[in-house]
Amino acid sequence: QVQLVESGGGLVQAGGSLRLSCAASGRTFSNYAMGWFRQAPGKEREFVAAISMRGSTTYSYYADSVKGRFTISRDTAKNTVYLQMNSLKSEDTAIYYCAEAGGTTTLRTEYDYWGQGTQVTVSS
């Protein structure tokens, strides 16, 4: 049974930073791609970032709206993926979800497992 547990959300002022964590359990972490999505009130869940490994090479992908501000990383020893969020804006306010997929993808429908989400609120 795959479990994903997010943490690190909270309230921050615009321009500030937060780091989200997602602890994974249940299957070999390094074999799968991990992604972060977010959902703001009244909006669809959207892709934020994804990370995967092929051999010793790590690949990361970002939505244009967060490129240059957010960084996704993973610690395979801790089975944890992180999302470092800098220069936060009010439009980054959302529930952030981590998810696991069999292959590298930015498509929400191709992620098999999801965490429960963590709220990020950016005040202007």
Side-chain angles (χ1 to χ4, degrees):
Q1 180 76 13
V2 174
Q3 283 192 317
L4 304 174
V5 180
E6 301 99 334
S7 61
L11 174 64
V12 63
Q13 287 189 332
S17 299
L18 281 176
R19 189 177 81 155
L20 305 183
S21 300
C22 174
S25 62
R27 61 183 184 182
T28 305
F29 180 69
S30 60
N31 291 349
Y32 299 91
M34 300 296 295
W36 287 97
F37 290 76
R38 66 187 182 186
Q39 188 167 17
K43 295 188 177 181
E44 291 192 353
R45 194 171 299 188
E46 64 175 6
F47 170 76
V48 175
I51 189 167
S52 63
M53 292 179 66
R54 269 168 259 166
S56 60
T57 304
T58 299
Y59 298 87
S60 55
Y61 308 86
Y62 298 93
D64 287 343
S65 59
V66 306
K67 204 170 290 183
R69 300 188 298 121
F70 291 11
T71 302
I72 189 171
S73 62
R74 66 195 296 168
D75 184 334
T76 54
K78 295 182 179 180
N79 284 359
T80 300
V81 62
Y82 304 98
L83 185 68
Q84 177 67 44
M85 306 185 294
N86 299 329
S87 302
L88 283 161
K89 306 175 181 179
S90 57
E91 52 262 44
D92 295 317
T93 295
I95 299 174
Y96 283 71
Y97 299 89
C98 74
E100 187 176 282
T104 306
T105 178
T106 63
L107 298 178
R108 173 173 52 89
T109 54
E110 295 189 4
Y111 282 79
D112 302 313
Y113 296 96
W114 293 82
Q116 82 288 351
T118 186
Q119 177 71 49
V120 171
T121 303
V122 183
S123 63
S124 56

